[in-house]
Amino acid sequence: KRAIDDARAKIKAHLVPSLNKVASHLLSKMTEGKMAKIEVDEDFDVKVDGQPIHTLSGSEKAVANLALRVGLGQVLTSRVFSVLLADEIDASMDDERAEATAECIRSLAKSLDQILLVSHKSPTADHYVQL
């Protein structure tokens, strides 16, 4: 039990600061600077610009959670499995936020081998498959 507790503490010590940095960067890009900082504490409670995540609007929650998920994927995989699969990530976003989010996702192409995005909207992309 002590070894597991020690490992958990070491993982949190590395993961949390890295996740905060990466997710905050993504959030700022996805919202064009309107939202800037994600803080995940040691208990994994989340605040966005000092506000608990559960108090945000639907679109704000969606973009913050997306920044966290993508950031966590980048921190944990660190280019080991460089794929992003996303389904309807922009569903609750207005057109402006959806486009900023799509632009942020496009910028990840520098560090990801493949990005597959499913959407009812039509963000700018290299290739489309319309069903």
Side-chain angles (χ1 to χ4, degrees):
K1 183 177 179 343
R2 183 174 178 187
I4 290 174
D5 288 341
D6 290 344
R8 183 179 296 126
K10 287 179 183 176
I11 289 169
K12 283 183 180 180
H14 169 73
L15 176 67
V16 171
S18 298
L19 177 58
N20 288 342
K21 182 178 179 182
V22 173
S24 292
H25 174 74
L26 292 168
L27 178 69
S28 181
K29 288 178 70 174
M30 290 177 186
T31 63
E32 297 178 308
K34 292 179 179 113
M35 299 168 77
K37 188 173 184 182
I38 292 182
E39 297 171 276
V40 179
D41 66 19
E42 290 184 3
D43 295 323
F44 294 102
D45 291 323
V46 179
K47 288 187 178 180
V48 178
D49 292 334
Q51 186 175 343
I53 195 167
H54 66 85
T55 64
L56 302 177
S57 73
S59 177
E60 290 170 332
K61 282 181 198 174
V63 75
N65 281 312
L66 178 60
L68 282 167
R69 289 192 311 263
V70 173
L72 186 59
Q74 289 190 318
V75 168
L76 291 178
T77 62
S78 190
R79 302 181 197 232
V80 173
F81 183 67
S82 62
V83 174
L84 172 64
L85 304 172
D87 183 16
E88 294 294 338
I89 59 173
D90 56 4
S92 67
M93 299 177 192
D94 62 27
D95 290 340
E96 183 180 321
R97 178 154 297 155
E99 186 54 39
T101 299
E103 181 60 36
C104 179
I105 297 296
R106 270 192 302 283
S107 75
L108 296 175
K110 299 170 190 163
S111 61
L112 295 171
D113 291 333
Q114 294 183 28
I115 299 171
L116 177 61
L117 174 65
V118 176
S119 178
H120 283 92
K121 298 182 181 184
S122 299
T124 304
D126 293 336
H127 305 283
Y128 284 97
V129 176
Q130 187 170 356
L131 303 175

